[in-house]
Amino acid sequence: KAGVTQTPRYLIKTRGQQVTLSCSPISGHRSVSWYQQTPGQGLQFLFEYFSETQRNKGNFPGRFSGRQFSNSRSEMNVSTLELGDSALYLCASSLGGQGAISPLHFGNGTRLTVT
Amino acid sequence: AQTVTQSQPEMSVQEAETVTLSCTYDTSESDYYLFWYKQPPSRQMILVIRQEAYKQQNATENRFSVNFQKAAKSFSLKISDSQLGDAAMYFCAYRGYSGYALNFGKGTSLLVTP
């Protein structure tokens, strides 16, 4: 079974631009979560989608948004990029149930650099 | 909000030896889940082991085992017979029973020396 696929692996953008990251979950997984990883703040939860609905959202400004399609693929968008948005963005998929019976499987991440 | 603390930024172990990584957490919930994830240089987070808080028995996965102390809110990871491939960042994570998000610690960088 193919794992979680994130594209692209690397991105370089200029401050003020917007960016879209893509995530394809493991086949059969209906939940997709996004995390931001930085050296200073560590791993922080952005949001989680299940069956095209956002079920949970972390403490990030409205410039960060996402969506999920009917095939469970998800996209994350960041508008008006700031230097502090430079980070590794990780996507994770799961079957979607609550608890440990539905552990998260992570992709390799997209490294975003804002200049 | 639940917080997860990993007090050891770096640890070192010799091949074939045993190492223990520490993790404490703060929560007011009685039911929850705890995880250890490994992140090698490839960046992919890999689930190492998980523990349900309602289970008293400590989880074990081959060379990896945990010491779960619910009252002390402690969840340490023991790696036995360490191998060079175990070198990575290790993250402890908490997830509420009805939650969908993982709260991660800052991580412990494990170095394995020959």
Side-chain angles (χ1 to χ4, degrees), chain A residues 78-94:
Chain A
V78 187
S79 62
T80 318
L81 283 166
E82 300 177 0
L83 296 179
D85 297 333
S86 294
L88 179 66
Y89 290 89
L90 292 167
C91 168
S93 75
S94 72

Side-chain angles (χ1 to χ4, degrees), chain A residues 9-10 35 37 40-41 43 45 55 88 97-100 102-104 106 108-109 111, chain B residues 33 35 37 39 42-45 47 50 52 91 95 97-102 104 106:
Chain A
R9 289 213 68 185
Y10 299 93
Y35 289 81
Q37 186 175 20
Q41 298 298 316
L43 283 146
F45 172 74
R55 290 196 296 194
L88 179 66
Q98 295 172 337
S102 190
L104 300 186
F106 285 83
N108 286 325
R111 171 77 67 188
Chain B
Y33 304 92
F35 305 84
Y37 277 89
Q39 188 178 39
S42 67
R43 307 183 326 202
Q44 184 177 25
M45 298 282 282
L47 178 64
R50 62 189 179 190
E52 291 88 345
F91 293 94
R95 184 175 181 179
Y97 180 78
S98 58
Y100 304 103
L102 287 175
F104 285 92
K106 294 290 189 184

Side-chain angles (χ1 to χ4, degrees), chain B residues 47-66:
Chain B
L47 178 64
V48 175
I49 199 166
R50 62 189 179 190
Q51 174 81 42
E52 291 88 345
Y54 60 85
K55 289 186 178 179
Q56 293 186 339
Q57 187 172 6
N58 290 325
T60 299
E61 288 287 343
N62 301 313
R63 299 182 294 107
F64 299 87
S65 62
V66 298

